[in-house]
Amino acid sequence: MRGTMLYGPRDVRFEERPDPTIIEPTDAIIRISAACVCGSDLWPYRGIEPTTQPRPMGHEYCGMVEEVGSAVKNIKPGQFVVGSFFASDNTCPNCQFGYQSSCMHREGVGGAQSPVLRVPLADGTLVATPSVPSNDLIPSLLTTSDVLGTGWFAADAANVKPGSTVVVIGDGAVGLLGVLSARQRGAERIIAMSRHESRQKLAREFDATDVVAERGDEGVARIMDMTNGIGADSVLECVGTQEAMMQAIHSTRKGGYVSFVGVPHGVELNGEGLFFAHIHLHGGPATVRRYLPELIDLVWNGKINPGKVFDLELPMAQVAEGYRAMDERRAIKALLWP
């Protein structure tokens, strides 16, 4: 088969690779129905995260099960399934606490930007849909694999409750779906921080009540002004930079909650500053598997349409253009069809 490989900064190739096969008896092989380029893929693409050797790309996926290992009991060939970017057994103590992305036996899932994918720990990682979906549902189901699950985790970790005031920092796919997630969890006021008109429009489609274009100290000042000097109940940090983290902490009311779900790059917290901030701080790799059944149900029954975040659709052979478009902010998220 042909699959996506990253060789170095801005060097993405769609080239011949070995077909995935069952390695462990707990594996499954799925035929990809759709994949996409993730914002976190841009860190190695831009060279901020080093690439020492060519590596297969892609960790958001959904598709049809073609084959399962001898130890797989619950996932069957012919099912349409969605999985997370971390494989988990869903039985260890960490999984039982709801933190499958810190499973004691977790494995990273990579190589999804290709026609076929091997998924380890299939019974614990994959969730089947009620039946084979129509094509129009596939983009939204694909978001549950990562960006919607991450936005949902951000809202959950920030303790978003009915009637709360929420700030979302980051207008990529995760931030936009953080807006959607906050609304689903009952937030009354949702302030999306965005400087890009197309993303502001989509944030409002996902029920953001306000948009703030300022960043850094100016952004914090705007939030404090909008909240009568108190700050927000919950702030979702969906970027992963120092500026975004500081903006999140300083925009939160005393006793409020900050979640951080952007993979941190260069983020350092001052202990004394954090001590006197008087906030709850929680985040990490999103516990996507915990939420998959609920999110799939919401999509399946037409309650939400998170697939709107895909504003560029390409055949998988043109994956390099998808990376370029997202890198240049010409696209929020690129959807790849085999």
Side-chain angles (χ1 to χ4, degrees):
M1 70 171 189
R2 297 175 71 199
T4 302
M5 297 289 289
L6 179 69
Y7 278 76
R10 294 179 169 80
D11 185 2
V12 172
R13 308 177 195 178
F14 194 65
E15 62 183 21
E16 291 296 327
R17 299 193 58 234
D19 288 346
T21 59
I22 298 291
I23 298 174
E24 300 291 339
T26 51
D27 290 349
I29 302 297
I30 68 172
R31 174 72 55 177
I32 295 294
S33 295
C36 57
V37 180
C38 181
S40 62
D41 291 333
L42 296 181
W43 293 111
Y45 179 76
R46 291 167 173 164
I48 298 170
E49 181 182 310
T51 298
T52 57
Q53 61 184 16
R55 59 171 164 174
M57 297 297 290
H59 55 263
E60 300 179 64
Y61 57 95
C62 61
M64 298 288 294
V65 179
E66 289 198 334
E67 183 182 1
V68 298
S70 59
V72 177
K73 304 303 181 186
N74 300 320
I75 298 299
K76 310 292 184 185
Q79 289 182 315
F80 187 95
V81 293
V82 183
S84 172
F85 48 82
F86 276 130
S88 57
D89 58 25
N90 209 30
T91 59
C92 80
N94 290 350
C95 289
Q96 292 302 298
F97 287 129
Y99 285 80
Q100 292 92 337
S101 51
S102 284
C103 175
M104 298 170 74
H105 306 103
R106 78 177 186 185
E107 296 184 43
V109 178
Q113 293 166 7
S114 60
V116 184
L117 176 69
R118 168 184 168 261
V119 180
L121 302 172
D123 272 338
T125 303
L126 299 173
V127 176
T129 57
S131 60
V132 177
S134 57
N135 283 342
D136 63 309
L137 276 184
I138 288 176
S140 285
L141 288 171
L142 177 59
T143 68
T144 68
S145 178
D146 184 349
V147 286
L148 176 57
T150 299
W152 199 271
F153 174 62
D156 190 6
N159 197 39
V160 174
K161 292 182 176 180
S164 59
T165 294
V166 179
V167 170
V168 180
I169 298 175
D171 62 359
V174 170
L176 291 167
L177 294 180
V179 170
L180 180 153
S181 300
R183 174 60 68 206
Q184 287 292 308
R185 294 178 65 85
E188 181 175 327
R189 190 177 192 187
I190 304 171
I191 305 168
M193 307 201 78
S194 171
R195 299 193 301 186
H196 302 88
E197 185 176 350
S198 62
R199 297 170 189 235
Q200 293 173 352
K201 180 181 178 183
L202 189 51
R204 291 194 181 278
E205 287 185 33
F206 287 145
D207 286 336
T209 56
D210 304 271
V211 173
V212 169
E214 292 87 349
R215 288 185 179 178
D217 292 342
E218 291 183 358
V220 171
R222 284 277 288 122
I223 296 301
M224 298 307 287
D225 181 63
M226 296 169 72
T227 57
N228 298 317
I230 297 169
D233 300 307
S234 303
V235 179
L236 285 54
E237 194 281 281
C238 303
V239 181
T241 63
Q242 182 76 16
E243 180 184 69
M245 180 64 85
M246 292 300 98
Q247 186 172 320
I249 290 172
H250 295 145
S251 297
T252 308
R253 66 166 172 82
K254 301 305 179 186
Y257 292 76
V258 172
S259 64
F260 57 101
V261 297
V263 180
H265 287 77
V267 176
E268 295 184 0
L269 300 181
N270 175 273
E272 183 177 358
L274 192 59
F275 182 77
F276 285 103
H278 236 152
I279 60 165
H280 300 79
L281 186 63
H282 180 42
T287 57
V288 171
R289 177 59 182 82
R290 187 203 312 179
Y291 308 117
L292 269 177
E294 180 180 5
L295 298 181
I296 288 171
D297 183 69
L298 287 170
V299 168
W300 195 265
N301 290 298
K303 302 290 182 62
I304 57 175
N305 183 17
K308 288 182 179 180
V309 295
F310 294 113
D311 54 350
L312 176 64
E313 297 189 23
L314 296 167
M316 206 169 282
Q318 296 178 27
V319 62
E321 171 56 21
Y323 275 84
R324 283 192 294 270
M326 288 180 60
D327 179 40
E328 297 165 5
R329 298 189 74 87
R330 291 185 285 113
I332 299 171
K333 198 162 180 66
L335 177 65
L336 306 173
W337 298 102

